[in-house]
Amino acid sequence: MGKLFRFHNDVDTDQIIASQYLLFPTIDEMKTYTFESLDPDFSKKAKPGDFVVACENFGCGSSREQAPAVLKALGIKAVIAKSFARIFYRNAINIGLPVIVCKDLYDHVQDQDEMELDLEAGTIVSGGQTFTCTKLPAKMQSILDQGGLIASLNKED
Amino acid sequence: MGYTIIEKILKHNTGVCDIKAGDIVTTNVDRVMIHDIFIPFVADKFEEMGFTKLWDPDKVVLIYDHLVPASQVDDTRHFRKGNEFAEKYGMKNVHRSDGICHQLMTEAGYVKPGDVVFGTDSHTTTYGCVGAFSSGIGYTEMASILGTGQLWVKVPQTIKVTINGELPANVTSKDIILRLIGDLRADGATYQALEFTGDTVKNMTVASRMTMANMAIEAGAKCALFTPDEKTAEYCEIELNDFQKSLVGDPDAVYARELTYQAEDLVPVLACPSQVDNIKPVKELVGTKIDQVFIGSCTNGRLEDLQKAAAVLKGKKVAPFVKLIVTPASRKIYRQALADGTLEILSDAGAIITHPGCGLCCGRTGGILSDGERVVATNNRNFLGRMGTSKVEIFLASPVTAAACAVAGEIMEG
């Protein structure tokens, strides 16, 4: 069980982590500034095991892999949205951050609601309701299962 | 059954005969581009993956553009890491101050029609201007390509966009792509390819096509493609081979969606704060006071863009209290604009002319604004906080509109 942080449509990668912080040498130094322009206290409020929930086109904009990386570093367990921008989606899978398409969740929850995710079954429970998620393509599921692209490549060797 | 352009490129690249949208295929990468912001992360991941050599050093291009020249002491660490990586793994294709990555990749001849190219930047879609499949990826995937030379992709569906007719004098390819993004919305082409055709496109310069391919990502597209033609061949300094000539969408190809525009109906438009798909005709905003104008970037920093701006600014002065900043996209363009008198006209009008690079577009190396200020800019994103504080209003426009705004000190049609 974790708390969910609810965001709107078209959350872009500049909003997730702004350009000026990309110059910090490590993701740990950057993560304090996650969602700074939308909620400056996000990194203090989010606890490991919490979730990010959004509407359409989450992660649009730049190719910066730091966007999913700061979310993962803060312990965000998964991002659940109606749809994702392509590069963010690939980047998240490659670093082992689950990104889940769920068409119904967003419209039925409020910011700070509690929710539970069963990744294997592809279901989410919140407020007594169960929501079904869209399955990942097999190729991506396999990368995610192994903990990301690096683990996946090392295993192939 | 016929094929779309992207299907033809991926069929040729992978050798998979019966290819169709939705298939997952492994591509053999023809070229990759890494820029200064991400090189330290790519280098770390590459070594973390246990690779000891690049799959082909000649196919790797490293370009310093976002941080050149350094404006903060930490920036120089990126150059050091890049230089170390290039030396250690025998890379020769390194550009340290030649211009913006997306300009240099085609200008310096790294990308040819039909190539498969990936870059650590979302605007890598630009190389579709010469009929290449090019797309942005993250640093972990880039590190894996550097070691393996391959990347898996899902063959995208295609949206076909046809534009016919002659554009009005004050309408440019920037207005076309902004209008299209407004119609498709910011996620309207997610996971899909855009394919441009029609006689307006055929009559367009490669530079104008670059502007459109560059912004395809703003509708979420994986790539954008133009059929290579004699203009492409001239620009790339090659003769098109049979494969390259075949890169046209077949009449019986399957498209996800088809959109058609008549050029004469198009008008100058702006992307209003703070979404690229918030498109309005310039006419509706005439009179809105502005503080700064920026002409440049990988979207609109080419010679023809500077010339179009100069045509508007010739013999005129930038309005008092407005700063006009002009950034040529590459050293080559800078020198061409210097030689043909364009920079002189811009300078006479009061423009600040900067070194080639990405600086202003991403709010780095100068030109930032503060709360409540407005900027009309020719780049590709008006996201919150992109060119200064999150309370700066960014309006995206063509170089013609931008130049007219600079003279008027307010939003104005060119």
Side-chain angles (χ1 to χ4, degrees):
Chain A
M1 191 70 88
K3 222 175 353 171
L4 69 86
F5 291 82
R6 189 172 176 272
F7 294 93
H8 45 76
N9 268 327
D10 300 324
V11 172
D12 62 62
T13 52
D14 280 72
Q15 289 168 13
I16 302 172
I17 183 74
S19 305
Q20 62 265 36
Y21 305 122
L22 300 181
L23 274 295
F24 290 156
T26 65
I27 300 292
D28 272 341
E29 286 163 88
M30 277 175 228
K31 70 180 183 191
T32 319
Y33 304 96
T34 306
F35 290 125
E36 190 188 35
S37 65
L38 301 176
D39 178 359
D41 296 325
F42 178 82
S43 68
K44 290 192 206 97
K45 293 192 287 191
K47 300 280 176 285
D50 284 347
F51 298 90
V52 166
V53 174
C55 197
E56 304 278 3
N57 202 28
F58 186 84
C60 63
S62 84
S63 66
R64 68 191 63 161
E65 193 171 312
Q66 288 91 341
V70 290
L71 295 175
K72 192 178 181 211
L74 288 171
I76 295 299
K77 197 169 168 189
V79 183
I80 303 107
K82 289 192 183 184
S83 66
F84 289 91
R86 190 190 71 84
I87 307 176
F88 178 89
Y89 191 73
R90 278 186 85 113
N91 283 341
I93 301 282
N94 283 331
I95 62 160
L97 173 71
V99 275
I100 295 157
V101 174
C102 182
K103 296 288 179 193
D104 304 322
L105 182 70
Y106 178 84
D107 296 322
H108 293 92
V109 292
Q110 300 298 320
D111 191 47
Q112 304 298 308
D113 279 357
E114 297 274 324
M115 63 165 270
E116 191 148 29
L117 167 71
D118 183 336
L119 201 53
E120 224 156 87
T123 55
I124 291 165
V125 177
S126 183
Q129 279 183 282
T130 302
F131 303 91
T132 307
C133 311
T134 308
K135 276 204 153 49
L136 283 175
K139 177 92 188 174
M140 299 192 108
Q141 187 64 53
S142 143
I143 294 172
L144 192 57
D145 287 345
Q146 292 168 62
L149 187 61
I150 294 180
S152 157
L153 279 170
N154 289 343
K155 199 174 170 190
E156 273 174 28
D157 294 344
Chain B
M1 185 67 74
Y3 295 100
T4 61
I5 299 178
I6 185 62
E7 287 167 346
K8 287 185 182 182
I9 293 174
L10 292 174
K11 187 167 171 263
H12 181 263
N13 181 277
T14 62
V16 176
C17 293
D18 183 27
I19 211 165
K20 59 183 182 310
D23 291 351
I24 287 181
V25 294
T26 300
T27 59
N28 297 299
V29 180
D30 294 304
R31 197 76 77 170
V32 292
M33 185 283 297
I34 308 161
H35 63 54
D36 48 7
I37 292 195
F38 296 135
I39 183 62
F41 294 90
V42 173
D44 288 351
K45 293 289 170 190
F46 181 78
E47 296 190 346
E48 201 181 318
M49 286 173 179
F51 294 123
T52 52
K53 62 184 181 60
L54 299 174
W55 107 96
D56 186 344
D58 287 344
K59 291 188 174 175
V60 184
V61 185
L62 174 61
I63 299 174
Y64 301 167
D65 55 0
H66 285 68
L67 309 176
V68 176
S71 61
Q72 294 173 28
V73 286
D74 281 349
D75 295 356
T76 58
R77 187 175 53 84
H78 290 237
F79 307 144
R80 275 199 307 280
K81 287 278 279 190
N83 291 346
E84 280 164 21
F85 189 80
E87 187 168 345
K88 186 168 176 187
Y89 296 104
M91 283 176 58
K92 294 198 174 60
N93 302 324
V94 184
H95 295 266
R96 295 184 174 85
S97 64
D98 296 329
I100 304 174
C101 58
H102 302 310
Q103 177 63 28
L104 294 177
M105 287 300 282
T106 51
E107 184 187 282
Y110 293 120
V111 180
K112 302 292 185 223
D115 281 356
V116 172
V117 184
F118 296 100
T120 57
D121 191 279
S122 58
H123 295 108
T124 301
T125 54
T126 309
Y127 327 146
C129 66
V130 297
F133 165 44
S134 56
S135 201
I137 57 171
Y139 48 75
T140 300
E141 279 194 321
M142 179 56 75
S144 98
I145 298 177
L146 293 187
T148 65
Q150 296 189 317
L151 186 72
W152 70 270
V153 297
K154 192 162 148 185
V155 182
Q157 293 184 315
T158 296
I159 299 175
K160 184 178 180 178
V161 182
T162 308
I163 309 131
N164 286 314
E166 198 175 329
L167 289 170
N170 60 355
V171 176
T172 72
S173 70
K174 179 65 163 285
D175 298 293
I176 302 178
I177 190 67
L178 288 176
R179 166 72 191 273
L180 178 66
I181 294 163
D183 290 351
L184 287 171
R185 312 305 298 189
D187 61 350
T190 301
Y191 311 121
Q192 295 178 319
L194 296 179
E195 192 176 297
F196 293 103
T197 185
D199 54 60
T200 312
V201 167
K202 288 196 180 84
N203 292 330
M204 215 178 250
T205 60
V206 173
S208 293
R209 295 174 192 172
M210 285 174 97
T211 303
M212 293 173 66
N214 176 272
M215 289 197 72
I217 179 68
E218 308 310 331
K222 181 180 234 163
C223 61
L225 288 150
F226 288 83
T227 292
D229 58 11
E230 64 286 353
K231 288 180 181 158
T232 317
E234 193 187 340
Y235 178 80
C236 294
E237 298 177 347
I238 54 165
E239 291 218 7
L240 297 179
N241 60 32
D242 288 345
F243 160 61
Q244 292 165 331
K245 282 182 198 160
S246 79
L247 295 177
V248 52
D250 289 332
D252 56 344
V254 178
Y255 290 96
R257 194 173 167 189
E258 298 193 33
L259 293 160
T260 302
Y261 294 92
Q262 191 60 39
E264 288 80 358
D265 298 340
L266 298 174
V267 296
V269 292
L270 294 160
C272 299
S274 288
Q275 298 286 343
V276 185
D277 60 3
N278 184 15
I279 305 298
K280 293 189 178 135
V282 175
K283 271 207 167 82
E284 285 182 17
L285 288 131
V286 165
T288 308
K289 296 278 180 217
I290 58 166
D291 302 282
Q292 186 164 296
V293 172
F294 167 53
I295 298 173
S297 81
C298 57
T299 317
N300 276 124
R302 279 166 277 283
L303 183 63
E304 68 172 33
D305 298 320
L306 306 187
Q307 288 170 334
K308 284 176 191 169
V312 174
L313 286 157
K314 189 165 189 178
K316 298 187 178 132
K317 291 283 177 202
V318 172
F321 309 110
V322 170
K323 291 170 288 300
L324 168 62
I325 304 172
V326 178
T327 304
S330 70
R331 173 179 282 109
K332 184 177 176 185
I333 293 168
Y334 192 110
R335 292 176 68 95
Q336 286 171 331
L338 187 64
D340 78 0
T342 300
L343 292 189
E344 192 175 351
I345 295 170
L346 295 171
S347 182
D348 283 347
I352 302 164
I353 296 163
T354 78
H355 57 280
C358 307
L360 258 74
C361 173
C362 59
R364 305 268 319 175
T365 66
I368 56 171
L369 296 106
S370 60
D371 288 5
E373 291 193 310
R374 288 195 195 99
V375 55
V376 174
T378 65
N379 46 318
N380 41 40
R381 289 207 171 118
N382 56 355
F383 294 165
L384 286 177
R386 184 109 179 150
M387 298 176 81
T389 71
S390 58
K391 289 182 179 135
V392 174
E393 293 187 359
I394 307 172
F395 295 80
L396 305 180
S398 77
V400 175
T401 302
C405 294
V407 174
E410 55 187 46
I411 289 176
M412 180 63 71
E413 266 197 10

